């Protein structure tokens, strides 16, 4: 495992992303897919691409999933031992009609100071070019954060990076369910629409060190997950209690650190 971690962190430093294979076992992947089905049934007003972090605030299964020690162990290699959740989002593309995501940098959207954050992209289904896998431009994490411009209204973000992109250097990240990809907030990445007859599902998790300030907490789901926190810097939500068969217990309370 140490050899895998060293190789992955070297790849991340060189290219801005890294892939860890078989991080999450099939049972948890199956439970996460059932959770997506449950969310879609509960929220018919939302598309599969819109299962965002505000839903996670009151969802004990979701918070329990992003707190999985295997995911935190991966995140710790990049942000250190004191870890908080900034935001999380299910990125789900239904068969034949799943929307694409145009070229962008995550950090261009995020209210973080400093921009010290890492994204874990947990594959919940197999992901390949046919069903709209993640695409990255290796080395683009060294770019500054660029401006965004309005673009295809049928895409997920409806914006794209305001810069010339050489797609010939793009890498399609073929993932299997349970694999985890890690990427830098500045890396330029995208994904194509899903034109296959299969789902493409993933869970993104944005982890920060507790020394990073969330400047607009209403745009986040801040939970303290591991290690120590910095007193007075962020206010973290209390994790909702987990009860078997329940996803949305009532009540929410904040706590300082």
């Amino acid at each position: 495992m140490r050899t895998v971690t060293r190789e992955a962190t070297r790849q991340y430093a060189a290219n801005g992303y890294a892939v860890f294979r078989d991080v999450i076992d099939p049972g948890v992947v199956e439970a996460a897919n059932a959770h997506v089905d449950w969310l879609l049934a509960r929220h018919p007003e939302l598309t599969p691409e819109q299962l965002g972090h505000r839903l996670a605030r009151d969802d004990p299964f979701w918070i329990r999933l992003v707190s999985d020690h295997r995911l935190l162990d991966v995140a710790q290699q990049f942000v250190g031992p004191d870890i908080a959740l900034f935001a999380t989002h299910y990125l789900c593309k239904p068969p034949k009609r799943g929307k694409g995501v145009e070229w962008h940098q995550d950090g261009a959207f995020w209210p973080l100071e400093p921009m010290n954050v890492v994204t874990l992209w947990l594959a919940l289904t197999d992901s390949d070019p046919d069903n709209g896998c993640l695409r990255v431009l290796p080395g683009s994490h060294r770019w500054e954060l660029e401006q965004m411009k309005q673009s295809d209204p049928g895409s997920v973000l409806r914006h794209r990076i305001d810069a010339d992109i050489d797609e010939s250097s793009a890498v399609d990240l073929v993932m299997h369910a349970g694999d985890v990809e890690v990427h830098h907030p500045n890396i330029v990445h995208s994904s194509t629409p899903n034109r296959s007859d299969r789902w493409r599902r993933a869970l993104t998790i944005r982890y920060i060190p507790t020394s990073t300030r969330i400047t607009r907490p209403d745009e986040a789901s801040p939970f303290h997950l591991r290690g120590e926190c910095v007193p007075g810097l962020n206010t973290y939500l209390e994790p909702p209690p987990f009860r078997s068969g329940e996803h949305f217990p009532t009540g929410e309370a904040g706590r300082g650190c």
Side-chain angles (χ1 to χ4, degrees):
M1 179 63 184
R2 284 193 295 269
T3 299
V4 171
T5 298
R6 285 196 299 270
E7 292 175 353
T9 53
R10 281 197 295 267
Q11 182 185 12
Y12 183 89
N15 297 323
Y17 73 96
V19 176
F20 295 78
R21 302 294 183 185
D22 299 319
V23 175
I24 298 299
D25 61 89
V28 173
V29 169
E30 181 180 3
N33 274 294
H35 185 231
V36 170
D37 293 337
W38 183 86
L39 288 168
L40 290 173
R42 185 179 180 90
H43 296 280
E45 76 281 6
L46 300 178
T47 71
E49 294 90 354
Q50 293 177 321
L51 302 178
H53 68 85
R54 287 180 175 81
L55 299 179
R57 293 178 176 182
D58 299 313
D59 190 316
F61 176 87
W62 203 325
I63 300 305
R64 180 167 164 170
L65 178 57
V66 301
S67 303
D68 188 289
H69 70 92
R70 294 164 293 188
L71 298 174
L72 294 177
D73 287 348
V74 172
Q76 184 166 326
Q77 306 305 312
F78 303 94
V79 299
D82 303 318
I83 303 173
L85 176 71
F86 163 55
T88 179
H89 198 125
Y90 281 114
L91 298 177
C92 300
K93 298 182 183 183
K96 301 295 186 183
R97 56 186 176 85
K99 297 179 181 179
V101 183
E102 296 196 80
W103 293 106
H104 68 285
Q105 297 166 298
D106 290 337
F109 297 95
W110 291 344
L112 298 173
E113 293 180 356
M115 191 54 66
N116 191 358
V117 54
V118 70
T119 293
L120 268 64
W121 196 98
L122 168 62
L124 300 180
T125 61
D126 292 350
S127 179
D128 54 49
D130 288 340
N131 66 350
C133 68
L134 186 64
R135 309 183 75 208
V136 297
L137 293 183
S140 60
H141 64 300
R142 298 188 185 90
W143 297 13
E144 296 296 324
L145 291 174
E146 303 285 345
Q147 294 294 317
M148 301 293 292
K149 62 181 180 181
Q150 288 188 331
S151 187
D152 181 3
S155 66
V156 172
L157 295 176
R158 300 190 294 276
H159 287 76
R160 64 168 287 138
I161 191 171
D162 191 6
D164 293 330
I165 301 298
D166 178 8
E167 295 198 26
S168 67
S169 62
V171 173
D172 292 318
L173 297 183
V174 176
M175 309 274 285
H176 297 292
D179 292 347
V180 168
E181 183 269 350
V182 182
H183 61 258
H184 190 280
N186 288 37
I187 196 169
V188 180
H189 59 291
S190 69
S191 64
T192 56
N194 181 6
R195 303 306 186 201
S196 77
D197 59 1
R198 297 172 287 128
W199 275 93
R200 198 226 69 177
R201 293 180 174 184
L203 175 67
T204 59
I205 315 167
R206 326 297 190 169
Y207 294 112
I208 59 173
T210 57
S211 56
T212 289
R213 181 186 297 275
I214 302 171
T215 61
R216 297 193 298 273
D218 59 313
E219 298 180 19
S221 291
F223 288 89
H224 179 216
L225 303 180
R226 174 180 283 186
E228 302 296 324
C229 56
V230 178
L233 189 66
N234 293 315
T235 298
Y236 297 108
L237 303 173
E238 289 287 351
F242 185 86
R243 303 182 184 91
S244 180
E246 284 189 26
H247 290 279
F248 283 85
T250 58
E252 177 182 284
R255 59 188 175 94
C257 192

